[in-house]
Amino acid sequence: MSRSANDPGRAGPPVRFAVVGNPENRRAALFADAARAAGLPAPRMVPWERVLRSGGAEFAADETVRLDSPGENPEVDRLLRGAQDPTRVEGSALWYTRFIQASRGLRGGVRLDDTDELAVLFDKRHCHAALAAADVPVPWSPTSGPDAAPVAGWDDVRAAMRDHRMPRLFVKLAHGSSASGVLAVESSGRGRIRATTSVELTPDGRLFNSLKVCRYERERDIAAIVDALAPDGLHLERWLPKASQRGRAADLRVVVVAGRATHAVVRTSNGPLTNLHLGGSRGDLDAVRDGVEAAGGRWADVLAVCERAAACFPRTLCVGVDLLPAVGWRRFAVGEVNAFGDLLPRLTGLPGSGAEGLDTYAAQIAAVLRRAHPSTGTGHQGNEHHQRHQHRTGTTHVSA
């Protein structure tokens, strides 16, 4: 019989969690549920609103501190972006500055993340450069790294498309998330151009995040969106044609915990944006594995790409990696690495991952307990890397 986390026979002091997050958010509830299921006390909740208003927070030396997403709270969004309407797109640069500043104001405790790494993760230009420097496959970008020329507006995007022979590219907010401000732009040899995006452009020029994917075919509309977003910082990437599943474009979100790929979900869409909140749907992970093996590849090698991406951020316990499969399932590239990419409710761990039967939050708690009590064998240990991920997953319940 395994001991509970607070069993007096366990070596070392019990683990106590504190979470910086939005108390009403389901992320906080799911993590608290996982902590209690592990025999731990409920985490101490420190609201982002309090942190932002007070300029920081203090933690006891023996508290393990988890940062959670500050999203989905209108008042926190107002404090970060200065916007009265949380559906507006603009303000991501101010959001980034204030979020990183608030993270630096957290003092004490044992952190499950690193503020310097968060600063890179939330800047797509720097994150892309870090991945490329580590030989992680990524789409080519003219804006990668601190020395790249900034994108001042649509004229610069047009120039990049011409100079770098990129008839199809993604225009992304440097500090955006959840596909906010992303445009998938494609042009033809006859001068026609189209953009697919979650941005709704109103007649008076305001930009709103829409849950319905929008398509623009007038260049002046696309230019108006890009010109309005450019002051917040833009990142450009070559558009890689993706593999498909049942006629729909497919990519993967892979969660990496403590260096190991533990959870994966396939996202499919009729268009270039596969985010589930924009109408994307869950795909068949077993079919992806079959496709990789039919193409002569190994599923373990695919997951290893995600683990290499996560290794660029060694002081961050958990990241969500967006993995882009090329047509034919032979090659893969990392589109993004997300600091808060673990919201996959009820999804249990990949066989052989060390997180079998655990959701993403329970897997993180198990990893913390293994670090705190390495001699007790807490949690699932798994096998060596080349022996892992050999079996199919039977997981079907994902709602993120």
Side-chain angles (χ1 to χ4, degrees):
M1 179 182 298
S2 61
R3 289 169 171 158
S4 70
N6 290 327
D7 191 308
R10 178 184 296 278
V15 172
R16 295 196 301 136
F17 281 102
V19 175
V20 183
N22 294 328
E24 76 287 353
N25 194 277
R26 58 177 173 163
R27 293 173 178 268
L30 289 168
F31 188 80
D33 289 345
R36 285 189 288 265
L40 297 167
R44 180 168 76 92
M45 176 57 63
V46 180
W48 272 117
E49 182 177 351
R50 185 194 307 166
V51 171
L52 291 165
R53 291 190 184 280
S54 63
E58 298 280 351
F59 299 91
D62 65 341
E63 283 187 301
T64 298
V65 183
R66 166 187 166 84
L67 266 63
D68 216 333
S69 171
E72 302 179 13
N73 180 300
E75 181 59 20
V76 170
D77 183 73
R78 187 189 68 80
L79 291 170
L80 286 170
R81 290 197 302 138
Q84 298 301 319
D85 186 341
T87 65
R88 291 293 297 270
V89 182
E90 304 92 332
S92 59
L94 182 59
W95 182 100
Y96 174 80
T97 298
R98 290 179 174 176
F99 171 72
I100 297 302
Q101 183 180 38
S103 299
R104 295 193 190 283
L106 303 175
R107 299 171 294 276
V110 179
R111 292 282 293 272
L112 298 184
D113 57 80
D114 177 84
T115 300
D116 290 338
E117 292 185 353
L118 285 175
V120 175
L121 285 163
F122 279 101
D123 190 318
K124 291 178 172 56
R125 301 162 297 190
H126 296 339
C127 185
H128 186 283
L131 295 170
D135 292 327
V136 175
V138 289
W140 186 83
S141 169
T143 56
S144 179
D147 299 326
V151 179
W154 177 243
D155 288 344
D156 286 350
V157 175
R158 267 301 208 180
M161 295 173 71
R162 180 186 64 250
D163 296 345
H164 301 292
R165 298 182 180 179
M166 290 195 300
R168 303 171 82 231
L169 82 164
F170 279 88
V171 180
K172 302 179 178 182
L173 282 171
H175 311 298
S177 62
S178 302
S180 177
V182 173
L183 294 91
V185 180
E186 49 193 325
S187 61
S188 69
R190 292 178 291 180
R192 297 183 63 183
I193 195 159
R194 178 172 66 181
T196 304
T197 178
S198 62
V199 176
E200 177 186 349
L201 174 66
T202 64
D204 61 0
R206 292 178 298 163
L207 307 182
F208 292 87
N209 283 306
S210 172
L211 292 177
K212 181 180 179 181
V213 174
C214 305
R215 290 181 174 84
Y216 299 93
E217 296 187 350
R218 296 189 303 183
E219 186 164 358
R220 65 175 178 270
D221 291 336
I222 301 171
I225 295 172
V226 172
D227 288 346
L229 295 178
D232 281 319
L234 295 176
H235 176 60
L236 310 181
E237 287 182 350
R238 190 181 300 278
W239 180 341
L240 301 180
K242 289 193 288 191
S244 63
Q245 191 172 96
R246 299 188 179 95
R248 295 164 61 90
D251 62 20
L252 294 91
R253 166 65 60 84
V254 179
V255 175
V256 181
V257 177
R260 302 182 69 174
T262 57
H263 299 72
V265 64
V266 184
R267 307 180 300 186
T268 71
S269 173
N270 286 323
L273 304 180
T274 59
N275 301 71
L276 300 184
H277 73 282
L278 295 177
S281 60
R282 299 189 301 269
D284 186 339
L285 190 61
D286 289 338
V288 169
R289 182 177 179 272
D290 289 343
V292 170
E293 294 177 349
R298 296 198 314 157
W299 177 237
D301 293 338
V302 173
L303 296 180
V305 173
C306 302
E307 293 173 346
R308 285 166 53 199
C312 295
F313 308 98
R315 295 182 298 280
T316 298
L317 177 71
C318 176
V319 295
V321 178
D322 290 344
L323 193 64
L324 313 178
V327 173
W329 301 101
R330 291 182 177 86
R331 294 180 294 109
F332 291 79
V334 172
E336 296 186 16
V337 182
N338 305 273
F340 303 133
D342 56 1
L343 183 60
L344 299 172
R346 299 183 300 279
L347 180 69
T348 53
L350 295 164
S353 68
E356 298 88 340
L358 304 178
D359 68 10
T360 58
Y361 301 105
Q364 292 171 65
I365 289 171
V368 171
L369 293 177
R370 285 196 296 270
R371 290 181 179 180
H373 310 295
S375 64
T376 63
T378 300
H380 301 266
Q381 294 300 317
N383 299 313
E384 293 303 315
H385 182 272
H386 70 280
Q387 296 175 320
R388 289 187 283 126
H389 312 301
Q390 296 301 308
H391 305 289
R392 295 176 182 269
T393 174
T395 304
T396 57
H397 301 291
V398 183
S399 61

